[in-house]
Amino acid sequence: MSTTENGDQVATRPEPVAAHAASENPEDARTLLSVENLKMYFPVKSSGLIHRKVGDVQAVDGVSFEVKAGGSLGLVGESGCGKSTTGRLITRLYEPTAGHIRFEGEDIASVPERKLKPLRREIQMIFQDPYTSLNPRHTVGSIIGTPLRIHNVVPEKQVLPRVKELLEIVGLNPEHYNRFPNEFSGGQRQRIGIARALTLNPKLLVADEPVSALDVSIQAQVINLLQDIQREFGVAFLFIAHDLAIVRHFCPEVAVMYLGKIVEIGDRDSIYNQPRHPYTQALLSAVPDVKQAAVGGRRERIQLEGDVPSPINPPSGCRFRTRCPIAQDICARLEPPLLQIGKKHKVACHFPGALGQHPNEPLTAGMLGVDHQGNPDPGASPSPDLTDKPGYDDTWFDLDTRTFGRA
Amino acid sequence: MSATTQSGPAPRQAGTSEPLLVVEDLKVHFPTSDGVVKAVDGLSYSVERGKTLGIVGESGSGKSVSSSAIMGLFHGSNAQLGGQIRVDGTDVLQLSEKEMRGLRGREVSMIFQDPLSALHPYYTVGAQIVEAYRVHHDVSKKVARKRAIEMLDRVGIPQPDQRVDSYPHQFSGGMRQRAMIAMGLVNDPSLLIADEPTTALDVTVQAQILDLLQDLQREFNSAVIIITHDLGVVAEMTDDTLVMYAGRGVEYGPTKEILTHPEMPYTWGLLSSVPDVVGDTSAKLIPIPGNPPSLLNAPSGCAFHPRCTHRDKVPGDLCTTTLPELVPGNRSMGHLKRCHLADPEAIYQTEILPEIAPDLVDEER
Amino acid sequence: MFAYALRRLFSGALLLVVMSMVTFLLFYASSSTPERYACGQKCTAQQLEQTKAALGYDEPITTQWAKFAKGVVAGREFPDDEALREAAPELVTQCEAPCLGYSTGYGETVRDLISDRLPVSVSLALVAFALWIIIGVLLGVMAALFKGRVLDRGIVALSLIAFAFPTFFVGQIFLTYVSIRWGLVDTPRYSPIAEAGPWAWLTGLMLPAITLALVYMAGYIRITRAFVLETQTEDYIRTARAKGLPQRTVIGKHTLRAVLTPLVTLSGLDLAGLLGGAIITESIFNFNGVGKLSVTAIARFDLPLIVGIVLLVAAIVIAANIIVDMLYAVIDPRVRLG
């Protein structure tokens, strides 16, 4: 914990800063969190005489993934893709419409509110905006110490020492426990938020855009702090962000979401170096790159037309098809299954392939029991292997040989 | 609106061949009860027609304040302004509010970060563009409306003849920013200032807007200033880059130079604090320690010294006592830096680059 | 929009029903003895009982409320006595629907009492409203535009003074000096606009209206000033300036349009509150409005009158709420067009 950020200390010499490479997942860790077919629909009411339900905002619609103990999964996607809602479901700020959230084997998706208290110790959340997520009328000591008192973790007289310890861990001056949030800068407030999340020794931290409200130079400080915390305490992270580069740095495994669904999930190398979904490819190519300075001008990129459609009436079949450069008839008819195409790589596309090498025929037609246009094919029967469950299988569909097998 | 709109800016000084925009030793100071906030303190730069300047810095670096000064938005406030801002030879700081109004939105226009809050929620998009056009052109509402539809079409809004009557909240984020750009360009300005134009947008929409801005610049041949904190945007969009810290320029020159051979530790820090979406994953994230300084009590000497990790390479206490000048470094006359380090290039190549982009070290040599 | 209004009207009506019940309950929860008041000091116990029965107060509270409710819907007769109707029909007062009851204290139906006095209160409220809106908003905008300068400080100080002086004091001073001692205006009195013409109506109302408006005006100066200052920091005002618009357009169009929304909400509800009577002002200037009527009603434990006035005021406030919300949609396209 060598980063410091104490604005009030007039340092004669800045302390050396830690330089951190990208995170890696621990080997052979057990599964801490397993999410299966998670759905969250928010009802939309009509404006008539009587409020009738006229539809749903399908914020999250059938999402499955795993987080290993001490590991990190990144959720990326544009606004409205459901990544933040997913985070809130995991912390049970919402009750999911359907699906399972297994935390250490126990399904917490439908546990009633009053039985959630032990869960709240295990899963904590770090919020985006350090200015609004801390109560301005409470001192930092009270903000961090309250969870200790509520959960009776330590005797009353040890609350303060623990608060000071936590402040030290997140790189703040422990003697500042009696100050108010407005006496701290944005980066320092985010550190307070992190300290609060750490109070109860959680096993999982859901970090929802933890650095996007911060200045560039401060972002790196906070990311490094989170990496230190992960290394030291073995906390697992569900890291939600729109910044693809930061997610790449922090998360060895990444899920790309679009309109409430995971379109591609895999380890860092699969997603960033071998993306097979046209949306992932477009997303990655859209990021402006500093290294382009050496060449000058704009980078070659896949331009997506228009905006993300409304989640109230999402497009039929594949939700990305309205903006997809390679969409065909089948995409409007059938939703592509999340197909495992590598040891740790799944993609939900009828035409998965490297950029510029997407197949002309849907690879999924045979498995779904349809012809190439997506009409039912009496000669084929749907494959039973297409169940969308969390984690990865030992066998997968190889895109080159177009057969299921083991590498 | 007749007299003021048609008068325009003061006549251009004869025989000037200087760039469209020249900012010289600009100072913007705000007196407060706690003291004077020196938001901008001795800033100089220039932009030529058809060129793009990127201004990079963190919040409080003065990057937005300096552009508001160009727009004359501090006229009539208690801000103390000094130096010169010459637009096409005219020093806008000497203009009266009335003369300034003729310039604003016509010669110089601005688009803002958050198009939802920057557009008036109670007026249609079309009405707001029409208003921007008619304040500088004595034309009927009908003609102005036609012009608005034309501009909306040009910035890629589908069915512009219908969408012209939509309210801002009926547009998506990307469409709003397009409408904002249409409004900024409706009077064919020679200078467009884009203040964080894509920060509030999603990445695929950001790409659309940046492409649009680049196309339009070629078409209108205007000078563009892009204010951003995203070095990627700077790398892809700009010809020149100005890095600001604590109200001053700390590094200034051609973008390629600044981003491939930076000579100021603050620029190094910016480069090393953002991870990359491509490249080596063993690349390290090295934050800049500490916080941006208070502009009320800027640090002595080099304002960056409390956060600088390379101070021990400068002899004596120069960094804490003497403000370095913004002068050409070792590489070229066009690459200015404000730093006491004698050979920053060597430090960058041996200490910084191997950490933040190990894959680039061999190529650079 | 229409469906929305209907839904609001329906819930408003429901609210009125509940309020009438609550008023009944509260009246009986207090140890009030209306029969004592009606019968007089030297009433015997037996007379007291008879009065109580005659007034209908001997019946269970639920029956009383049911009768009241029936009267609102279908009308009723006072007293509700078969024998008396047969014997002396001229003694029975017909109270047509919607019947709010019969005030024994005044010997009139509540509806007649209120409809007599409502024009007085409404006139007073409207004139005061016009005064405080025009002057209050104008001064508020001016204070905001000259923020921190002498004019701003002057206006703010003025509003503070106006706010600090209680209405009864200001009204008494006006009445005593402006009208009586110095004779600058005639003694304020209410002349119906239909009979006396608009000029007499207005001049007769002026002094009490100013008295009433003063405290509101002070509030509106401060609120308008705050709204304008807040709006001026909005991004879209910066955009308007950056377009090169003259200051008068930036203020007169862009700023005021935005300030209008909260002002409409506030002023609508403030006006509604006053339409049901300004107790102090009416009492000082001896205006026979609803405010003065309500004071008498409470003093005399006149339950039907109390219930009637409570329901009237509630209905006005509910209606004003609905109108304000509808106006909101007219002003703000975000509400109108979702």
Side-chain angles (χ1 to χ4, degrees):
Chain A
M1 236 55 57
S2 46
T3 52
T4 70
E5 208 203 311
N6 296 331
D8 53 343
Q9 92 184 37
V10 185
T12 47
R13 180 165 304 274
E15 292 183 33
V17 286
H20 283 344
S23 305
E24 292 301 332
N25 264 353
E27 297 282 323
D28 297 323
R30 73 199 154 82
T31 301
L32 179 71
L33 175 76
S34 170
V35 171
E36 190 175 339
N37 201 18
L38 191 64
K39 290 184 183 177
M40 185 69 217
Y41 292 177
F42 296 102
V44 181
K45 298 276 174 63
S46 75
S47 56
L49 190 55
I50 299 155
H51 287 293
R52 267 175 304 118
K53 197 183 122 176
V54 289
D56 287 301
V57 174
Q58 304 179 6
V60 177
D61 192 24
V63 162
S64 302
F65 57 80
E66 279 184 355
V67 181
K68 301 281 184 196
S72 324
L73 172 73
L75 286 184
V76 290
E78 298 179 282
S79 47
C81 75
K83 55 187 194 297
S84 289
T85 309
T86 306
R88 278 152 197 253
L89 286 169
I90 305 301
T91 48
R92 277 299 309 275
L93 290 175
Y94 301 139
E95 186 166 351
T97 310
H100 304 282
I101 305 169
R102 292 191 186 86
F103 184 75
E104 298 208 285
E106 189 197 349
D107 194 343
I108 57 169
S110 46
V111 171
E113 183 71 34
R114 65 199 148 76
K115 289 189 183 162
L116 280 174
K117 198 173 158 187
L119 174 74
R120 302 245 188 258
R121 284 181 65 165
E122 309 275 9
I123 306 178
Q124 285 287 325
M125 191 145 182
I126 301 170
F127 296 94
Q128 170 177 1
D129 190 346
Y131 292 89
T132 55
S133 58
L134 300 176
N135 188 331
R137 283 175 197 85
H138 289 179
T139 62
V140 168
S142 136
I143 288 170
I144 300 173
T146 302
L148 291 172
R149 297 197 179 92
I150 288 177
H151 291 269
N152 287 322
V153 185
V154 292
E156 183 63 35
K157 65 173 185 230
Q158 281 173 36
V159 168
L160 188 59
R162 173 71 178 144
V163 166
K164 289 184 176 181
E165 187 189 339
L166 284 161
L167 285 172
E168 186 116 46
I169 287 173
V170 298
L172 295 172
N173 186 339
E175 295 311 315
H176 290 174
Y177 64 87
N178 54 1
R179 297 195 175 185
F180 289 90
N182 65 350
E183 297 175 68
F184 295 87
S185 70
Q188 290 171 323
R189 288 184 207 205
Q190 196 55 296
R191 287 168 190 266
I192 297 166
I194 293 168
R196 174 181 61 181
L198 285 178
T199 315
L200 300 168
N201 291 320
K203 295 197 177 83
L204 176 68
L205 277 176
V206 176
D208 189 357
E209 301 273 10
V211 297
S212 57
L214 306 176
D215 263 323
V216 175
S217 70
I218 310 296
Q219 285 189 359
Q221 296 177 357
V222 172
I223 290 292
N224 279 1
L225 171 65
L226 292 177
Q227 276 185 319
D228 287 332
I229 284 166
Q230 178 161 44
R231 214 162 294 161
E232 198 159 322
F233 303 103
V235 192
F237 275 86
L238 183 64
F239 192 92
I240 299 161
H242 70 279
D243 186 325
L244 290 148
I246 284 178
V247 169
R248 178 177 185 258
H249 185 82
F250 195 81
C251 305
E253 194 186 342
V254 178
V256 182
M257 290 186 71
Y258 186 82
L259 267 183
K261 291 193 179 285
I262 291 179
V263 294
E264 190 160 9
I265 181 169
D267 55 14
R268 180 186 289 134
D269 180 58
S270 301
I271 297 293
Y272 286 88
N273 299 337
Q274 305 156 47
R276 293 294 178 256
H277 196 288
Y279 179 62
T280 315
Q281 290 160 351
L283 208 54
L284 285 170
S285 84
V287 181
D289 183 13
V290 189
K291 295 202 173 77
Q292 189 68 18
V295 191
R298 298 274 283 151
R299 199 153 65 102
E300 277 298 308
R301 56 175 41 99
I302 310 158
Q303 272 294 14
L304 291 184
E305 296 295 318
D307 296 287
V308 182
S310 153
I312 300 177
N313 279 311
S316 64
C318 173
R319 295 187 171 188
F320 181 56
R321 69 175 166 85
T322 51
R323 299 173 78 200
C324 181
I326 58 164
Q328 294 187 21
D329 289 351
I330 187 174
C331 303
R333 296 207 172 97
L334 286 168
E335 189 185 324
L338 193 60
L339 183 67
Q340 188 170 343
I341 57 162
K343 187 161 186 277
K344 283 195 167 173
H345 193 183
K346 288 176 170 183
V347 64
C349 178
H350 292 300
F351 305 92
L355 187 54
Q357 297 165 27
H358 290 279
N360 295 319
E361 279 101 46
L363 298 184
T364 52
M367 301 165 215
L368 295 166
V370 293
D371 66 14
H372 289 173
Q373 280 71 48
N375 300 311
D377 184 353
S381 58
S383 162
D385 295 340
L386 294 177
T387 50
D388 185 12
K389 56 179 192 290
Y392 301 95
D393 283 333
D394 292 336
T395 58
W396 60 85
F397 186 81
D398 188 87
L399 287 183
D400 296 324
T401 63
R402 303 195 176 177
T403 51
F404 279 97
R406 186 189 288 264
Chain B
M1 70 182 52
S2 54
T4 55
T5 54
Q6 296 306 311
S7 64
R12 175 189 179 139
Q13 286 164 12
T16 47
S17 59
E18 67 170 16
L20 178 77
L21 171 72
V22 178
V23 174
E24 250 177 41
D25 197 28
L26 176 68
K27 292 189 171 78
V28 184
H29 294 180
F30 299 99
T32 69
S33 50
D34 297 325
V36 177
V37 173
K38 296 177 178 172
V40 175
D41 202 21
L43 184 68
S44 303
Y45 60 83
S46 64
V47 197
E48 309 225 14
R49 217 174 257 279
K51 295 284 181 193
T52 304
L53 170 73
I55 302 184
V56 191
E58 298 179 90
S59 46
S61 64
K63 58 189 200 300
S64 292
V65 172
S66 65
S67 57
S68 296
I70 299 172
M71 294 292 294
L73 291 178
F74 296 122
H75 275 252
S77 76
N78 65 346
Q80 299 163 349
L81 293 117
Q84 284 199 337
I85 300 173
R86 293 196 299 276
V87 177
D88 216 3
T90 309
D91 184 358
V92 303
L93 295 185
Q94 303 305 321
L95 295 181
S96 69
E97 168 64 16
K98 194 174 158 188
E99 290 166 321
M100 192 62 230
R101 273 208 313 268
L103 205 71
R104 246 185 240 148
R106 184 158 92 164
E107 287 294 304
V108 189
S109 74
M110 193 158 176
I111 57 177
F112 299 99
Q113 173 173 352
D114 181 2
L116 182 60
S117 61
L119 289 167
H120 201 298
Y122 296 165
Y123 296 105
T124 63
V125 169
Q128 298 187 49
I129 299 177
V130 163
E131 185 181 43
Y133 190 61
R134 288 190 72 208
V135 72
H136 297 294
H137 294 86
D138 197 5
V139 296
S140 70
K141 277 193 176 163
K142 210 174 151 192
V143 174
R145 185 182 155 89
K146 224 181 121 224
R147 170 81 177 155
I149 295 173
E150 191 184 300
M151 284 309 296
L152 287 175
D153 189 37
R154 180 61 200 86
V155 297
I157 290 191
Q159 298 159 317
D161 48 333
Q162 287 162 33
R163 299 315 295 265
V164 70
D165 294 321
S166 297
Y167 288 92
H169 75 273
Q170 295 171 305
F171 277 21
S172 68
M175 299 247 286
R176 277 194 285 267
Q177 196 55 291
R178 284 172 195 269
M180 197 73 212
I181 292 172
M183 191 159 88
L185 293 178
V186 73
N187 294 309
D188 200 0
S190 44
L191 174 65
L192 178 71
I193 303 171
D195 190 351
E196 304 263 7
T198 57
T199 308
L201 304 176
D202 277 323
V203 61
T204 58
V205 179
Q206 162 174 315
Q208 294 169 1
I209 297 292
L210 292 179
D211 282 348
L212 175 70
L213 272 178
Q214 207 156 48
D215 284 355
L216 290 169
Q217 176 177 25
R218 288 202 193 102
E219 191 180 317
F220 289 78
N221 194 38
S222 41
V224 173
I225 296 176
I226 293 182
I227 300 167
T228 180
H229 65 274
D230 188 334
L231 292 171
V233 171
V234 169
E236 296 201 7
M237 295 288 292
T238 65
D239 302 295
D240 291 325
T241 300
L242 170 68
V243 182
M244 286 189 71
Y245 189 79
R248 293 195 183 93
V250 294
E251 193 158 11
Y252 179 40
T255 299
K256 185 176 174 183
E257 261 293 308
I258 303 281
L259 293 184
T260 57
H261 298 280
E263 296 197 301
M264 159 81 197
Y266 178 63
T267 317
W268 300 344
L270 286 180
L271 282 164
S272 68
S273 352
V274 280
D276 205 347
V277 77
V278 288
D280 203 330
T281 47
S282 66
K284 297 211 169 66
L285 211 55
I286 314 167
I288 305 173
N291 283 308
S294 151
L295 296 173
L296 210 55
N297 268 315
S300 60
C302 170
F304 186 60
H305 85 256
R307 303 174 75 190
C308 184
T309 47
H310 299 276
R311 256 168 53 208
D312 48 359
K313 303 184 183 77
V314 175
D317 52 2
L318 263 181
C319 291
T320 53
T321 55
T322 313
L323 174 68
E325 293 294 313
L326 185 66
V327 289
N330 302 338
R331 287 189 49 89
S332 70
M333 284 309 287
H335 184 166
L336 312 178
K337 52 128 189 167
R338 194 188 283 279
C339 182
H340 290 301
L341 284 173
D343 189 3
E345 173 72 2
I347 300 172
Y348 181 69
Q349 293 295 344
T350 56
E351 290 187 28
I352 312 293
L353 203 58
E355 294 273 327
I356 64 171
D359 47 334
L360 284 187
V361 172
D362 295 331
E363 293 170 34
E364 294 285 331
R365 281 291 156 92
Chain C
M1 191 74 173
F2 179 70
Y4 173 76
L6 240 123
R7 197 169 65 227
R8 291 289 303 274
L9 279 176
F10 179 75
S11 62
L14 212 67
L15 191 62
L16 285 180
V17 172
V18 174
M19 285 194 65
S20 69
M21 290 179 181
V22 171
T23 315
F24 264 83
L25 270 176
L26 286 179
F27 184 81
Y28 284 101
S30 68
S31 56
S32 51
T33 48
E35 63 275 12
R36 163 72 65 192
Y37 192 90
C39 189
Q41 281 296 321
K42 291 176 180 160
C43 220
T44 62
Q46 193 197 2
Q47 281 170 321
L48 210 56
E49 271 315 301
Q50 280 170 352
T51 319
K52 195 172 178 180
L55 291 173
Y57 289 134
D58 57 337
E59 288 173 286
I61 179 168
T62 43
T63 318
Q64 286 188 44
W65 186 82
K67 281 189 172 173
F68 166 80
K70 182 183 153 271
V72 172
V73 179
R76 59 196 278 205
E77 289 170 347
F78 292 100
D80 189 12
D81 190 335
E82 288 282 335
L84 188 64
R85 187 166 56 221
E86 295 290 324
E90 71 279 2
L91 290 181
V92 175
T93 312
Q94 292 292 330
C95 180
E96 282 159 26
C99 174
L100 291 175
Y102 180 83
S103 164
T104 40
Y106 282 97
E108 269 183 85
T109 63
V110 172
R111 205 177 64 178
D112 289 344
L113 279 170
I114 288 179
S115 52
D116 265 3
R117 281 145 178 88
L118 195 59
V120 181
S121 290
V122 169
S123 300
L124 187 57
L126 283 180
V127 175
F129 176 73
L131 281 174
W132 94 60
I133 282 290
I134 294 169
I135 300 172
V137 171
L138 204 71
L139 290 181
V141 171
M142 283 185 20
L145 294 187
F146 292 90
K147 188 193 166 215
R149 309 222 205 130
V150 182
L151 185 63
D152 174 35
R153 290 187 189 160
I155 292 172
V156 170
L158 200 78
S159 77
L160 205 68
I161 293 169
F163 208 76
F165 279 111
T167 306
F168 72 84
F169 177 72
V170 175
Q172 203 59 60
I173 294 285
F174 276 178
L175 187 65
T176 314
Y177 285 89
V178 179
S179 172
I180 298 169
R181 289 257 175 102
W182 301 335
L184 295 178
V185 291
D186 290 340
T187 311
R189 63 189 195 88
Y190 176 73
S191 350
I193 194 165
E195 294 165 21
W199 182 247
W201 172 77
L202 193 63
T203 46
L205 281 168
M206 216 19 123
L207 222 44
I210 292 174
T211 308
L212 189 55
L214 221 49
V215 72
Y216 285 92
M217 191 186 78
Y220 275 68
I221 289 174
R222 300 175 72 93
I223 284 167
T224 308
R225 180 178 178 273
F227 283 150
V228 170
L229 287 178
E230 195 194 312
T231 307
Q232 284 197 303
T233 65
E234 294 280 352
D235 284 356
Y236 53 78
I237 298 301
R238 184 183 56 182
T239 308
R241 293 191 63 205
K243 284 196 227 180
L245 294 177
Q247 184 74 356
R248 59 169 193 278
T249 315
V250 176
I251 301 293
K253 190 174 164 189
H254 291 251
T255 309
L256 282 190
R257 180 73 196 267
V259 171
L260 197 61
T261 318
L263 276 185
V264 163
T265 315
L266 270 175
S267 57
L269 298 181
D270 278 343
L271 175 64
L274 277 187
L275 287 175
I279 295 174
I280 296 170
T281 311
E282 285 172 14
S283 305
I284 292 170
F285 291 95
N286 203 20
F287 270 45
N288 276 321
V290 181
K292 239 185 108 191
L293 186 67
S294 60
V295 176
T296 321
I298 290 166
R300 294 184 186 169
F301 304 109
D302 196 338
L303 175 67
L305 197 48
I306 292 172
V307 174
I309 292 172
V310 164
L311 290 187
L312 170 81
V313 173
I316 292 173
V317 170
I318 289 168
N321 252 311
I322 297 174
I323 291 168
V324 160
D325 284 355
M326 308 284 272
L327 274 179
Y328 217 96
V330 173
I331 297 170
D332 191 339
R334 286 171 298 184
V335 177
R336 185 177 356 130
L337 303 167

